[in-house]
Structures are given as C-alpha cells and as structure tokens.
Amino acid sequence: DQQVKQNSPSLSVQEGRISILNCDYTNSMFDYFLWYKKYPAEGPTFLISISSIKDKNEDGRFTVFLNKSAKHLSLHIVPSQPGDSAVYFCAAKDNNDMRFGAGTRLTVKP
Amino acid sequence: DSGVTQTPKHLITATGQRVTLRCSPRSGDLSVYWYQQSLDQGLQFLIQYYNGEERAKGNILERFSAQQFPDLHSELNLSSLELGDSALYFCASSSRAGFQETQYFGPGTRLLVL
C-alpha cells in the first residue's frame, strides 16, 4: 500500500536550470512533509520540510510547495548544481507513522 | 556526519540465522527510529523508541524486535533470517518523540542473507 508515491524514478537537468521533483500522497491524515537527499553509501539527509498548514516553504535554493487539495508536493531546486546529484525521497508523517516515496534520482549535468 | 552511528557497516549471514544491529543516537536525542530500505520496497519505517519505551510501530515483522537501553542506544534484532531480509537498515534519531521532529539518519547497516 503505497501512500506516498514518487512517479519519476529519475530526472536529469542541466546545471543552472531548475529541478522539479514531484510527490503524491493518498492519506489525508498526513500533516507534515519532508524531503531527504541521499548520496550513495550514506544515510538520508534532511533537506526541507513543510507543515500542512502552509503551502510553501523556502530555504535558499530549495523550495517545497504543498497542494493539499491535490495531495501533491514538489521540491524545486534553483539553480541546480552538480553537487545536487543524489536520490531525493519525499516523506509524509502523521502522529504515529512516517511513509517514504521510492525516491527520484536527480542528475545535474555540468 | 549526522552524529548517528550504526554498527556493523556490513553483515553477511545465512538464512535461519539471527543478527543484531546497533545504533547510537546523536548526543541528547531521546528518540530512535529504525527503517528498512530494500530494492523493491523503498524506505520503510519499522519501529520507534523514545527514552526506552516503544513509541510507534510500522511494518515490522514478528521475527524482528528492537529495544532501547538506558544509555539510549538501540538494537534491532532480526531472527530466522530469510533471503528477502537482505536490505539496508537505517536508524535515525530525533530530540523528541513526535514524528514532527526532524530525524537524523545514520549511515546504515547493509545486511546480506545468503
């Protein structure tokens, strides 16, 4: 039962352009959403989060947008840099559970 | 470096065996979470402990168990191992109990069951 879905397994963008990673969820009880970045051989690293009471949260080059009616969130990275190349996981929480998407592998080409 | 340590880094064992994975949370963090990342299932939440007590349970099999000790380190015990248990096991820690807290992940233990 996949409550959090990342439908694009991979994304390739040119350095300096915008990267947009998407995530959909089905459980309306989720009230907090996060994005994690994962490099090979390392654990996931927290990137940015958003509460369900907001529709946008920005941190430097990273912005997360939440559309509750569509049960959709997205992560925008602008400008993209080669060091951003990693697997990105979205995650959704309620009080007692946390679900992750399958991840999207982002490749930023120089 | 997240401050969360996991040992061992790699583990190779045979079906039917039992293994113990260890996690030390960041200094001051009271919550420990265990996750399994397998090729076909992605990252899955297994179980959470807060200050020694089980706090939340996810998709953890009955063959698996965990505990958190007074010094706050945690162990995940996997028994009667099957080939499908081969995966990367992460632990994460946070300062408080709620899932709203940011979790900091360790580097993982890669388990291979032959």
Side-chain angles (χ1 to χ4, degrees):
Chain A
D1 136 22
Q2 272 193 300
Q3 297 189 27
V4 178
K5 290 183 184 178
Q6 292 177 257
N7 291 320
S8 299
S10 63
L11 175 67
S12 181
V13 300
Q14 207 66 37
E15 180 179 6
R17 307 295 289 267
I18 185 171
S19 296
I20 301 176
L21 297 101
N22 294 303
C23 180
D24 297 292
Y25 62 96
T26 58
N27 187 346
S28 58
M29 297 302 292
F30 290 140
D31 58 5
Y32 201 74
F33 305 88
L34 308 93
W35 284 93
Y36 285 86
K37 179 167 74 171
K38 186 181 181 303
Y39 293 117
E42 294 182 13
T45 303
F46 170 74
L47 199 55
I48 192 169
S49 63
I50 187 167
S51 164
S52 60
I53 62 173
K54 295 187 174 182
D55 54 20
K56 177 182 174 182
N57 188 25
E58 195 170 350
D59 183 2
R61 296 185 298 113
F62 302 92
T63 303
V64 56
F65 295 92
L66 175 63
N67 182 334
K68 278 196 303 181
S69 60
K71 293 193 177 69
H72 177 83
L73 65 153
S74 61
L75 174 68
H76 292 210
I77 307 173
V78 55
S80 302
Q81 299 172 355
D84 296 330
S85 297
V87 177
Y88 290 78
F89 292 96
C90 70
K93 294 177 171 178
D94 61 21
N95 273 340
N96 295 304
D97 198 7
M98 183 165 175
R99 299 290 179 118
F100 286 80
T104 296
R105 181 176 300 279
L106 173 66
T107 303
V108 180
K109 297 179 179 176
Chain B
D1 183 356
S2 67
V4 178
T5 59
Q6 289 186 249
T7 56
K9 207 167 184 176
H10 302 276
L11 199 47
I12 302 175
T13 188
T15 54
Q17 295 298 305
R18 173 190 166 94
V19 297
T20 297
L21 313 183
R22 183 187 167 103
C23 169
S24 293
R26 289 189 324 157
S27 176
D29 281 358
L30 299 177
S31 260
V32 171
Y33 309 76
W34 285 97
Y35 295 88
Q36 179 193 57
Q37 184 182 19
S38 54
L39 279 174
D40 57 345
Q41 292 285 334
L43 199 57
Q44 288 197 97
F45 166 65
L46 296 178
I47 197 165
Q48 177 201 5
Y49 276 79
Y50 176 74
N51 205 20
E53 301 287 330
E54 183 184 303
R55 173 81 181 190
K57 218 166 186 176
N59 292 322
I60 188 165
L61 299 172
E62 285 194 12
R63 300 183 286 108
F64 296 1
S65 65
Q67 53 184 328
Q68 187 179 27
F69 295 87
D71 67 352
L72 301 176
H73 90 270
S74 178
E75 292 181 355
L76 179 67
N77 300 296
L78 315 176
S79 61
S80 303
L81 284 167
E82 302 175 359
L83 296 177
D85 297 327
S86 296
L88 200 49
Y89 291 84
F90 289 106
C91 111
S93 74
S94 66
S95 55
R96 290 184 287 201
F99 268 81
Q100 310 300 345
E101 300 295 315
T102 300
Q103 297 176 27
Y104 296 88
F105 282 74
T109 293
R110 186 173 294 279
L111 173 67
L112 181 59
V113 182
L114 299 175

